[in-house]
Amino acid sequence: MNSGTSNLSALSQPILEFRNVNVHYGAIHALKGVSLKVETGKIVTLVGANGAGKSTTLRAISGLLKPSSGDVLFRGQSIAGQRTDRIVALGISQAPEGRGIFANMTVAENLELGAYLRKDKEEIENDRAHVFELFPRVKERLWQSAGTLSGGEQQMLAIGRALMARPSLLLLDEPSLGLAPQIIERIFEIIVKVNRSGTTVLLVEQNALLAMEIAHYALVLETGKVVAEGPSVELSRSPEIRKAYLGED
Amino acid sequence: MNWKNNSTLRAGVVMILGILFFFGLGAIIPTLFNAYVFTIVMYAGINVTAAVSLNLVTGITGQFSMGHAGFMSVGAYAAAFLTTVILPTAEIPPALVPLVFAGSLFFGGIVAAILGLVVGLPSLRLRGDYLAIVTLGFGEIIRVVILNVETIGGARGLPGIPQWTSFGWVYSVAFLAVLTVRRLLASSHGRAFLAVREDEIAAEAMGVNTTRYKVLAFIIGAFFAGVSGGLFGHFLTYLNPATFDFNRSFEIIIMIVLGGLGSTTGAVAAALFLTFLREALRPLQEITQLDFRMIIYSGLLIVLMLTRPNGFLGTKELTDFGFFRRFKGLRQ
């Protein structure tokens, strides 16, 4: 799906772009004209408080929600309003908020469903081996039913499952949710590893400090609007941002 | 010979052997039992098909449907309409009867399947309790519509249906229903049905076209319910809209919950068990002059849910146990 040449030619072009995207939930205006760009090969994080529109942004990308106006471009192609399975086939997969693992299925079956749209059996086997390398715990638990895993293991499985689609853009929705600090740290290390092996990552997080540590670029959402953005190193130094989002006085 | 490796061919062979077996058995069974017991055996087989088909919709795909009797009713009336009102049944040469009967059952199944599509569509937007209410309403609408259509007897019912349903027919259809569900689950898209049940959003995020699988489950489920209705009509020789009220739907729901939602084996076992239990309770009813059946049913469900919250078999199948494990591979 993502051959080396297309990666090279796409270097100048953002892998994902929002152009003035509006999303409504009935009468609620959840995204108010959001424009953003995700550069190929980077980790980009979307931070902000509860209800800022972070998850809505992800859903508008993955096709679970249709924008009421504006455009979503993936590799320069409009994907707004397309069916989710088409979008996954294009190379965008996600680990949904709250992990969304299939609790009554085995870990192996969960991974299998991650590669649901793929037919290349050998390559799927390679990717499975890659997931095992990243998450040895997932391999240990392969024949266990996924509902019996710990929270951290479930999150690892959710990310591993999303990687089984061999995405060029990986969407992560609050991977730190409800996890112990050491486990969060390990998961974030793995996110960096995934990114280094060539996958662009869009990371939605409430834990802004941690997210900005590993991200190249950060955007701050507030009540449906982008209120600040920049390279995360700079943004995390800005006093206003530190005060408003990183909990400093 | 590579028939062992060709799953389509193998399924075809299994299907034909199964049908031959049940028709063969059908030559012996009626001679073993008196007419009363035989009737119960027949109802049990019809219930197996109904339960297995509802299990596909509710147990496997997770779409709670309370209108399954509605599909049976549509299938029953559509098939009986062909053989009783449209065709000159008395003039059909005996040799052609099986063909005409198979066609009528198929027709009943197709009409039910079309309605399954109609009911399946709201399931795209509705979940859980809301879908249950819509399907419950659907079942009642069907009943009231049939009640008011004079060409098929209206409230008087439709008499004079030829008695073509035999043991072989009932159990061959049940066998086909089981085989169809098994093949469906073993196919490359089998897990998609289960994924929809487990977590619809996550399934969609994996690229599973959830719409397609929900509607497909409704269509296939309704088809077999319709065929089982057709068998019922051609056994009893008389149809009455009241037979297919929501109590009938609940009976089938109880069967699949008792057997374990998602387990085809459980659905089969519970359908057989409950049909016989109902008859076994009749003496009690005669002595006390009270209809204890629903009380025992509900009591049984309560006890079961307290002791085995996932039903008799949970999501397990026969092929998950001891000796039968060796047949598990046959699914692939």
Side-chain angles (χ1 to χ4, degrees), chain A residues 205-219:
Chain A
E205 261 298 341
Q206 279 203 53
N207 194 333
L209 190 62
L210 208 56
M212 285 197 202
E213 251 172 52
I214 65 163
H216 301 100
Y217 197 82
L219 296 113

Side-chain angles (χ1 to χ4, degrees), chain A residues 218-234:
Chain A
L219 296 113
V220 180
L221 270 182
E222 203 176 290
T223 58
K225 283 181 190 154
V226 178
V227 292
E229 63 177 301
S232 45
V233 189
E234 286 171 26

Side-chain angles (χ1 to χ4, degrees), chain A residues 63-64 83-85 88 93-94 96 100-105 109 112-114 116-117 119 161-162, chain B residues 188-189 191-209 212-213 315:
Chain A
L64 292 170
R83 272 202 344 237
T84 306
D85 51 322
V88 175
S93 76
Q94 69 166 325
I101 54 144
F102 304 115
N104 288 318
M105 295 188 190
E109 286 170 325
E112 220 171 281
L113 272 160
Y116 177 71
L117 291 175
K119 302 272 175 274
R161 189 181 60 179
Chain B
S188 58
H189 296 289
R191 286 200 213 303
F193 287 99
L194 298 168
V196 172
R197 174 188 73 191
E198 291 290 308
D199 189 324
E200 218 179 302
I201 299 276
E204 204 164 341
M206 296 303 107
V208 174
N209 185 346
R212 185 176 148 197
Y213 289 101
T315 53

